[in-house]
């Protein structure tokens, strides 16, 4: 599937939770952080797509916020 432009999602066989997605023709893998055992080596640097977030969701940190992808 690495040459395919579609995303490939891997889900838990028991509950269906998203584990990871292979995207951009296999160049990148998006990993659901809740699936990691160890603390991630990288940390969030900004919030994107906040222009379409739910009104009731409050972002409580001081990271930069972008309405769309910068």
């Amino acid at each position: 599937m690495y040459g395919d432009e579609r995303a490939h999602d891997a889900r838990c066989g028991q509950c269906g939770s998203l584990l990871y997605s292979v995207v951009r023709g296999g160049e990148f893998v998006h990993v659901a952080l809740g699936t990691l055992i160890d603390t991630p080596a990288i940390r969030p640097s900004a919030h994107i797509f906040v222009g379409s977030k739910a009104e009731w969701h409050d972002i409580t940190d001081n990271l930069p916020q972008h309405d769309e992808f910068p």
Side-chain angles (χ1 to χ4, degrees):
M1 170 144 290
Y2 286 102
D4 196 329
E5 288 301 315
R6 293 175 295 161
H8 169 74
D9 293 343
R11 298 189 173 274
C12 173
Q14 269 191 324
C15 70
S17 295
L18 180 66
L19 301 174
Y20 65 88
S21 297
V22 178
V23 297
R24 296 185 189 176
E27 292 184 40
F28 294 90
V29 177
H30 295 171
V31 178
L33 292 179
T35 65
L36 301 178
I37 295 170
D38 296 326
T39 301
I42 59 174
R43 306 299 278 176
S45 58
H47 298 280
I48 58 174
F49 302 113
V50 299
S52 60
K53 73 172 184 60
E55 294 244 350
W56 48 261
H57 179 73
D58 295 323
I59 297 173
T60 59
D61 59 34
N62 293 324
L63 293 177
Q65 298 182 28
H66 305 282
D67 285 343
E68 298 178 349
F69 189 73

